[in-house]
Amino acid sequence: MAVCARLCGVGPARGCRRRGAAREQRRGGGADSEPDTDTDPEETGGGGGASVEDDELTERIECAGPAPHPAEVGPNGRAPLSILELPPELLVQIFGSLPGTDLPSLARVCTTFRRILRTDTIWRRRCREEYGVCENLRKLEITGVSCRDVYAKRINPRVKSGRFMKILPDYEHMEYRDVYTCLLHRYRHILGLWQPDIGPYGGLLNVVVDGLFIIGWMYLPPHDPHVDDPMRFKPLFRIHLMERKSATVECMYGHKGPHNGHIQIVKKDEFSTKCNQTDHHRMSGGRQEEFRTWLREEWGRTLEDIFHEHMQELILMKFIYTSQYDNCLTYRRIYLPPSSPDDLIKPGLFKGTYGSHGLEIVMLSFHGRKAKGTKITGDPNIPAGQQTVEIDLAHPLQLPDIENLRDFSELSRIVLEVQEQVRREEQEEQQRGEDEDRSQQAASSPAAQPQGGEGAEGEETAAGAERAAQDKAPASQPFVLPMGVISRNEDYPRTCRICFYGTGLIAGHGFTSPERTPGVFVLFDDDRFGFIWLELKSFSLYSRIKVSFQNAEAPSREAFDEMLKNIQSLAT
């Protein structure tokens, strides 16, 4: 134990570094640090001679070990007795491998550690490994490239890149230690996926470290009805160091460039943004120009191109509702659904068609014998956070041949038969549960406990039946929409893997009179599925969002389920 304490400078043998310094003085050497001056009570108790003998014994034990590595040999030709005697280059490597949150405590050990921790290489490594920062503070020609490219070219081609040059900070006199402590570590809690509280519309915000910035990107579905197109995105805010130890928050909303903003972390898994210069959001042409610009960005067309009167009303309503927030929003954290080898396909985020409401974002997750589609973006009928579709994986559907499938009444007959079967099974299960409750209450001995095992076995049997049904299904089968079913996108796949019975949520404007109606879940491939709403005679096509979101994994299955409950309760 004394050997370990001597090597690391800490441990139960307090004062060992002091004894080591005394030995160095006796040998003519000196310590290069200011170690702790706590005195070991045993040292002051008259046991000095025994202490010297112990030190000599310890040295003999150390010398009896394997030969030290050349890099570990001190200037006097012997192995170091303390970590303080290691070469500074080696200490830099050691300290650089530690989590950044541990380094402030390490700096309080002694002046040597504190001096070494001023080495910017250590903090650059922590910025790179913990937050993915790959920029070079000393190369100004690299700094801001992503800023100019993203903002001036990909997002808003009408804005000249020179407008953003003047707001780039002076990185030449900045240190990675400041970037880590004042920017990355301070705002680490807002990294990840978030859903803004914008009434029924919701949204998808991804906060990431982008170069030497923290940027909040709002992800938008592609223009209706091109569901297979990539997602669109625009910056809502960014955070960076304008001064050495002061992080600056800027609002990116509007068309006049960055301006002053504010971020407040309200509580865990929730934060809010505020724009301090909302006049930057206004346009010279007034609300009409703002609406025309918003319409081109949101829908990729003008109002005259949209002939459907009901769709025009919905679009105008959304503009009026969302523009009043002026980027002063509250965000709540969302997680990506956890996956399992037994899942039908990989869960995740999908973009889908919703008739006159355009394209919306849905999260597909699996829960045993059920699969759920939860809206991340919504509309006045079904708001964000609600469960739009539910798939019963225990009840696959056998579609008729391609000619009979064109007959809507034939498909409706098949689905309604399965719906009646599901209703009977639910009633029988409920009756069995009530019978079990009564029998457990009547029983006075633990003999009734094995019933739970029987239920678990029944559930496993149902899961096995589900997998067997999937195995029996053909690799692909022809698919066509029945006559009379409306689809925003006619370019849907003409073959599918398997179909299941499911229900879809419909409601009146303002989420009035919500009810679940029967439908058909159609799995096309690993990245696309569809849902036929029987009552609406409508078809929604969904395509996977192929974006690698960071800091979005749920810490546990329970945390993900709790998140789903929270966003649904807020929507209700």
Side-chain angles (χ1 to χ4, degrees):
M1 184 64 73
V3 176
C4 296
R6 188 190 311 280
L7 289 176
C8 65
V10 295
R14 300 178 63 210
C16 60
R17 286 183 294 168
R18 180 180 177 129
R19 291 195 296 270
R23 288 197 308 275
E24 290 295 331
Q25 290 178 358
R26 288 196 299 271
R27 294 168 180 161
D32 186 26
S33 65
E34 298 178 5
D36 295 339
T37 57
D38 295 339
T39 303
D40 193 342
E42 296 181 359
E43 271 190 277
T44 61
S51 176
V52 172
E53 293 178 0
D54 291 341
D55 292 340
E56 293 176 353
L57 178 61
T58 302
E59 291 179 10
R60 289 197 298 271
I61 294 175
E62 291 175 356
C63 293
H69 190 275
E72 299 175 353
V73 177
N76 53 6
R78 60 172 177 76
L81 301 179
S82 168
I83 193 174
L84 293 169
E85 298 181 24
L86 293 176
E89 298 82 2
L90 186 57
L91 290 178
V92 168
Q93 292 294 326
I94 295 174
F95 293 172
S97 64
L98 299 175
T101 53
D102 293 344
L103 299 184
S105 300
L106 192 62
R108 291 193 290 267
V109 173
C110 63
T111 55
T112 298
F113 286 7
R114 185 161 55 250
R115 183 171 60 252
I116 291 177
L117 285 172
R118 294 194 186 110
T119 305
D120 220 28
T121 306
I122 297 175
W123 297 98
R124 181 180 181 180
R125 179 177 175 183
R126 299 325 310 148
C127 290
R128 181 182 69 251
E129 293 184 359
E130 295 182 25
Y131 297 100
V133 174
C134 300
E135 302 292 338
N136 192 333
L137 292 177
R138 303 296 172 256
K139 294 183 179 180
L140 297 182
E141 66 272 14
I142 295 179
T143 302
V145 168
S146 61
C147 173
R148 293 194 298 271
D149 179 48
V150 170
Y151 301 156
K153 298 178 182 178
R154 286 190 287 173
I155 299 301
N156 192 354
R158 296 184 300 276
V159 178
K160 302 298 182 182
S161 58
R163 297 186 60 179
F164 297 98
M165 289 293 292
K166 63 181 180 181
I167 55 87
L168 292 177
D170 183 10
Y171 290 116
E172 186 177 7
H173 302 95
M174 197 168 293
E175 297 180 354
Y176 279 100
R177 180 174 58 179
D178 299 327
V179 174
Y180 185 95
T181 58
C182 302
L183 177 67
L184 303 178
H185 181 71
R186 180 181 177 185
Y187 290 96
R188 68 191 184 281
H189 297 298
I190 69 172
L191 298 177
L193 284 179
W194 303 83
Q195 185 182 50
D197 185 8
I198 316 181
Y201 298 103
L204 181 65
L205 179 80
N206 186 29
V207 183
V208 298
V209 176
D210 186 355
L212 297 172
F213 296 81
I214 292 179
I215 303 181
W217 298 100
M218 180 65 81
Y219 275 77
L220 306 171
H223 294 142
D224 181 62
H226 307 292
V227 69
D228 287 327
D229 287 358
M231 295 285 287
R232 300 173 295 121
F233 48 88
K234 64 179 181 180
L236 291 190
F237 63 84
R238 72 177 185 181
I239 315 169
H240 59 109
L241 296 183
M242 290 292 287
E243 299 177 359
R244 180 173 179 179
K245 295 184 180 298
S246 177
T248 299
V249 178
E250 293 179 318
C251 175
M252 303 296 295
Y253 191 77
H255 302 272
K256 295 184 179 180
H259 47 281
N260 189 21
H262 175 73
I263 286 181
Q264 180 181 2
I265 300 177
V266 180
K267 56 183 180 181
K268 181 183 178 181
D269 297 335
E270 183 177 325
F271 76 96
S272 61
T273 59
K274 180 182 179 182
C275 176
N276 297 330
Q277 295 176 285
T278 55
D279 56 301
H280 281 62
H281 305 168
R282 307 282 79 87
M283 303 185 73
S284 58
R287 296 288 280 177
Q288 290 185 352
E289 182 182 358
E290 293 173 12
F291 175 67
R292 287 194 296 268
T293 303
W294 175 86
L295 189 60
R296 284 195 302 269
E297 295 177 353
E298 188 83 5
W299 290 80
R301 63 185 77 175
T302 64
L303 195 63
E304 291 75 15
D305 297 331
I306 303 173
F307 302 105
H308 199 288
E309 184 177 353
H310 179 57
M311 184 179 293
Q312 291 181 350
E313 295 176 355
L314 292 173
I315 292 174
L316 184 59
M317 182 188 308
K318 184 175 182 179
F319 169 75
I320 295 174
Y321 192 96
T322 57
S323 62
Q324 66 180 339
Y325 285 90
D326 271 332
N327 206 23
C328 300
L329 298 167
T330 298
Y331 298 87
R332 295 178 177 85
R333 184 180 295 278
I334 59 176
Y335 297 116
L336 292 177
S339 60
S340 169
D342 295 331
D343 292 340
L344 186 64
I345 59 173
K346 182 181 178 181
L349 296 174
F350 292 78
K351 45 192 184 295
T353 55
Y354 276 89
S356 300
H357 297 295
L359 267 60
E360 298 182 3
I361 301 175
V362 172
M363 176 185 291
L364 180 68
S365 57
F366 292 90
H367 309 262
R369 293 182 295 174
K370 302 284 186 181
K372 300 179 180 179
T374 304
K375 279 195 172 186
I376 302 301
T377 61
D379 51 68
N381 292 85
I382 307 298
Q386 288 295 334
Q387 183 181 315
T388 176
V389 295
E390 181 177 280
I391 302 100
D392 191 341
L393 299 175
H395 291 85
L397 294 178
Q398 184 62 44
L399 296 181
D401 57 74
I402 196 67
E403 293 300 327
N404 290 327
L405 183 57
R406 297 179 184 274
D407 185 0
F408 179 80
S409 60
E410 178 64 17
L411 178 64
S412 179
R413 181 189 63 80
I414 295 175
V415 174
L416 293 180
E417 287 180 356
V418 177
Q419 181 188 31
E420 181 62 24
Q421 178 185 351
V422 171
R423 187 186 64 81
R424 289 196 305 268
E425 292 176 357
E426 290 177 349
Q427 290 179 349
E428 293 174 358
E429 184 177 355
Q430 182 180 2
Q431 184 64 38
R432 283 196 304 268
E434 294 175 355
D435 294 341
E436 289 178 1
D437 292 339
R438 285 194 294 267
S439 62
Q440 289 178 0
Q441 293 175 1
S444 57
S445 65
Q449 292 181 359
Q451 292 179 356
E454 295 176 1
E457 183 180 354
E459 184 174 348
E460 293 177 0
T461 304
E466 171 196 336
R467 287 192 293 269
Q470 296 179 24
D471 295 338
K472 291 179 182 179
S476 63
Q477 54 185 322
F479 176 81
V480 65
L481 287 177
M483 298 295 294
V485 175
I486 301 173
S487 175
R488 293 285 299 169
N489 193 330
E490 294 295 336
D491 190 21
Y492 60 87
R494 293 307 192 267
T495 60
C496 67
R497 290 184 183 176
I498 193 171
C499 298
F500 291 93
Y501 168 79
T503 59
L505 184 63
I506 62 174
H509 188 83
F511 196 49
T512 57
S513 305
E515 61 175 324
R516 307 207 68 86
T517 61
V520 181
F521 172 84
V522 185
L523 178 63
F524 295 113
D525 50 46
D526 290 338
D527 297 323
R528 289 179 297 179
F529 65 88
F531 192 83
I532 301 176
W533 310 74
L534 287 188
E535 185 167 330
L536 301 178
K537 287 191 175 181
S538 176
F539 175 73
S540 294
L541 178 63
Y542 300 84
S543 178
R544 185 183 298 277
I545 297 177
K546 299 179 180 179
V547 178
S548 298
F549 296 107
Q550 298 179 352
N551 303 297
E553 300 298 330
S556 64
R557 182 76 201 196
E558 292 74 18
F560 176 78
D561 293 337
E562 186 66 22
M563 181 272 299
L564 283 184
K565 293 179 182 178
N566 290 339
I567 64 175
Q568 185 171 356
S569 62
L570 292 171
T572 304

